[in-house]
């Protein structure tokens, strides 16, 4: 018997002995699957044990409790500390990798005792708090007297002209809101001006713009300049069962930061908690390769965390990495997002896409799996650029991987509005079965 098969048999037998009911359940046709599973022995210890509901408990902390996790700020640091604590409790070797990131300009808004986050303009007043009634001035074509008021513009140009006009009319703050003419919602943003102004200027997400529109409610705005920031990657690994043989590394990855204003439940809290659940299940299973989990900071600013990580790898370490399974947006409940996409940078098959497709066939999910097709825009890109097998895995529309849910990158990316436990379960099973099989290969 080959060592890979021996390891798989040992792991499978252990699961059957520990929990015959779970092992039996693993052989039943899965919800949403096209046919009953035809599992390898090595699939049993993963498929029988992974639970999306366990992952959801971590997501409640990241998305509901911490909320928006902006790279390099205290909110991202809170998430980092939570991830480190969970992975150390699972007995992984955990390190954090710091790197510098650009300054952030953010705003907290309080309306009717509800707190929102928005982007602040670096050209406006920072480190101040303003409390005043809101006046909806529409596109700004006819401005009333704004003395002592906060001006709310909707779909006005985001340069200096509307802001300067409102200040001339006495506005103590300017809020620039946007409402899309399409189904897609718009996120918070930091407005760019051509000159400095003496009042706060903030860029509001569409959902919050819609709630303020037409009201005269009192609004409190606090702007903050977050300077000298450090973001962190969280790296956790466990050695192979036979550590005297170096058979390489299998990486399972996701980014844990989010954009301003967004709780990031699907993007990418879902991928992050997929990693935590697989870390729980894979921690004691026999492997021929090192299992390494990497949770990236500051992806939303240009893949900064993963690029920093790859930049630190020496050629010998690059050669050891046999596959990088990047998980970005793996649980959306958006109805049309019924396709699970295999996204490699060049559209070609590699170790990761082959193993996920093979796992889908074994589990009965193969009709839902599409690709590989060419797409970047996530943390698999730096690995591909250095010649390592890597791909991103994500639920999106059948018409193509560009078809994201309309509330992508918005305050509505919450567990309640944008997370499907069923899709999260499928994602965990597919990546778990695929990564574990690659980890048992010699």
């Amino acid at each position: 018997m080959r060592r890979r098969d021996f390891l798989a048999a040992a792991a499978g037998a252990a699961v059957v002995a520990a929990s015959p009911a779970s092992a039996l359940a693993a052989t039943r046709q899965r919800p949403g699957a096209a046919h009953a599973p035809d599992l390898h022995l090595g699939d049993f210890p993963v498929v029988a044990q992974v639970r999306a509901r366990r992952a959801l408990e971590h997501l409640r902390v990241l998305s509901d409790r911490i909320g928006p996790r902006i790279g390099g700020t205290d909110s991202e640091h809170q998430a980092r500390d939570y991830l480190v604590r969970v992975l150390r409790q699972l007995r992984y070797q955990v390190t954090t990798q710091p790197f510098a990131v650009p300054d952030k300009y953010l705003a907290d808004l309080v309306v009717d005792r509800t707190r929102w986050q928005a982007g602040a303009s670096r050209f406006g007043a920072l480190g101040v708090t303003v409390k005043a009634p809101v006046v909806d001035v529409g596109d700004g074509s006819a401005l009333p007297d704004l003395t002592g008021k906060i001006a709310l513009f909707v779909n006005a140009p985001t340069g200096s002209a509307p802001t300067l006009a409102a200040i001339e009319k006495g506005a103590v703050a300017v809020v620039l809101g946007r409402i899309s003419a399409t189904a897609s919602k718009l996120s918070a943003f930091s407005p760019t001006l051509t000159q400095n102004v003496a009042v706060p200027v903030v860029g509001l997400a569409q959902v919050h713009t819609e709630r303020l529109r037409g009201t005269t409610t009192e609004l409190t705005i606090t702007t903050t300049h977050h300077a000298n920031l450090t973001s962190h990657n969280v790296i956790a690994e466990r050695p192979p069962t036979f550590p005297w043989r170096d058979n390489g590394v299998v990486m399972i990855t996701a980014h844990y930061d989010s954009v301003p204003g967004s709780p990031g439940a699907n993007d990418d809290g879902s991928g992050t908690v997929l990693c935590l659940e697989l870390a729980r299940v894979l921690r004691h299973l026999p492997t021929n390769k090192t299992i390494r989990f990497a949770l990236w900071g500051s992806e939303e600013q240009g893949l900064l965390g993963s690029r920093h990580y790859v930049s630190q790898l020496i050629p010998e370490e690059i050669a050891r990495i046999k596959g990088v399974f990047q998980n970005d947006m793996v649980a959306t409940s958006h109805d049309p997002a019924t396709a699970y996409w295999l996204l490699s940078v060049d559209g070609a098959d590699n170790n990761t896409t082959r193993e996920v497709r093979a796992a889908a066939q074994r589990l009965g999910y193969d009709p839902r799996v599409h690709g590989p097709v060419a797409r970047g825009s996530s943390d698999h890109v730096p690995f591909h650029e250095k010649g390592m097998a890597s791909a991103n895995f994500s639920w999106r529309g059948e018409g193509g991987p560009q078809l994201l849910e309309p509330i992508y990158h918005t305050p509505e990316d919450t567990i309640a509005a944008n997370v499907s436990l069923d899709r999260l379960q499928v994602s965990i099973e597919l990546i778990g079965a695929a990564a574990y099989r690659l980890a048992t290969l010699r």
Side-chain angles (χ1 to χ4, degrees):
M1 178 183 288
R2 290 180 301 173
R3 186 168 70 180
R4 180 190 70 194
D5 297 329
F6 172 78
L7 293 177
V15 168
V16 172
S19 180
S22 293
L24 179 62
T27 65
R28 296 173 182 155
Q29 185 164 337
R30 328 204 66 65
H35 54 79
D38 181 16
L39 301 179
H40 289 163
L41 284 173
D43 294 328
F44 279 94
V46 178
V47 174
Q49 297 184 79
V50 294
R51 298 288 184 272
R53 289 196 177 276
R54 282 182 175 265
L56 185 65
E57 293 309 306
H58 297 301
L59 191 54
R60 293 191 196 284
V61 174
L62 295 173
S63 183
D64 287 353
R65 190 184 309 171
I66 298 175
R69 303 171 297 281
I70 313 307
T73 69
D74 287 344
S75 59
E76 192 195 51
H77 295 167
Q78 290 176 45
R80 172 206 62 200
D81 292 345
Y82 178 77
L83 299 173
V84 168
R85 184 165 62 251
V86 170
L87 290 164
R88 284 182 175 158
Q89 288 172 348
L90 293 172
R91 300 295 187 263
Y92 280 83
Q93 301 167 8
V94 182
T95 58
T96 59
Q97 185 182 47
F99 55 97
V101 295
D103 292 3
K104 303 294 183 300
Y105 303 89
L106 301 174
D108 285 321
L109 283 68
V110 178
V111 54
D112 297 331
R113 298 183 180 180
T114 301
R115 186 176 298 276
W116 302 337
Q117 187 182 69
S121 175
R122 64 187 180 91
F123 301 96
L126 298 167
V128 301
T129 298
V130 171
K131 184 176 183 180
V134 174
V135 176
D136 181 355
V137 298
D139 63 5
S141 55
L143 293 180
D145 177 36
L146 294 170
T147 301
K149 306 291 176 44
I150 295 173
L152 169 66
F153 289 90
V154 180
N155 290 347
T158 57
S160 294
T163 297
L164 294 174
I167 294 171
E168 288 177 1
K169 290 285 188 176
V172 295
V174 175
V175 176
L176 300 171
R178 303 177 297 180
I179 296 178
S180 173
T182 70
S184 295
K185 301 292 186 74
L186 298 174
S187 59
F189 63 101
S190 294
T192 298
L193 306 178
T194 58
Q195 65 184 80
N196 293 329
V197 297
V199 306
V201 181
V202 305
L204 203 58
Q206 176 167 332
V207 62
H208 294 152
T209 302
E210 291 170 340
R211 291 177 188 175
L212 281 183
R213 197 172 194 184
T215 71
T216 57
T217 189
E218 192 169 65
L219 180 64
T220 301
I221 299 175
T222 300
T223 56
T224 306
H225 174 199
H226 300 266
N228 304 314
L229 299 180
T230 300
S231 185
H232 297 80
N233 295 324
V234 178
I235 313 298
E237 69 174 51
R238 45 141 295 196
T241 306
F242 305 100
W244 59 88
R245 289 178 176 267
D246 188 348
N247 288 302
V249 176
V250 172
M251 295 186 67
I252 306 171
T253 67
H255 73 88
Y256 68 97
D257 65 312
S258 70
V259 299
S262 176
N266 187 45
D267 185 19
D268 186 28
S270 63
T272 300
V273 302
L274 175 150
C275 290
L276 295 180
E277 175 62 2
L278 287 180
R280 180 187 71 83
V281 170
L282 296 179
R283 57 184 164 157
H284 296 313
L285 297 184
T287 67
N288 286 315
K289 295 183 178 69
T290 293
I291 298 286
R292 180 179 299 158
F293 293 92
L295 300 169
W296 312 118
S298 296
E299 184 269 356
E300 297 290 3
Q301 300 167 59
L303 317 182
L304 297 186
S306 55
R307 287 198 180 280
H308 177 77
Y309 178 85
V310 170
S311 75
Q312 305 300 301
L313 295 175
I314 62 175
E316 292 78 8
E317 292 172 329
I318 290 173
R320 292 186 65 224
I321 296 174
K322 307 305 180 185
V324 180
F325 297 83
Q326 167 69 14
N327 302 276
D328 198 344
M329 304 171 66
V330 297
T332 180
S333 58
H334 180 51
D335 285 345
T338 56
Y340 184 84
W341 286 93
L342 317 181
L343 306 172
S344 61
V345 173
D346 57 4
D349 252 332
N350 59 51
N351 283 349
T352 63
T353 55
R354 278 191 294 269
E355 290 296 347
V356 172
R357 179 168 285 287
Q361 292 169 345
R362 298 194 302 272
L363 287 161
Y365 294 131
D366 39 310
R368 308 179 74 176
V369 173
H370 297 244
V373 299
R375 190 162 179 95
S377 302
S378 194
D379 290 302
H380 59 307
V381 174
F383 292 90
H384 171 84
E385 291 171 347
K386 291 291 186 178
M388 289 169 274
S390 61
N392 180 37
F393 302 92
S394 184
W395 288 100
R396 304 183 182 198
E398 293 279 349
Q402 75 282 359
L403 299 176
L404 304 173
E405 64 266 31
I407 57 176
Y408 161 73
H409 274 187
T410 74
E412 295 169 279
D413 184 11
T414 64
I415 294 173
N418 197 30
V419 167
S420 161
L421 271 180
D422 288 342
R423 288 177 184 164
L424 181 57
Q425 180 72 25
V426 173
S427 299
I428 298 172
E429 291 181 9
L430 287 175
I431 297 299
Y436 184 55
R437 182 156 179 83
L438 184 59
T440 58
L441 293 174
R442 292 186 63 177

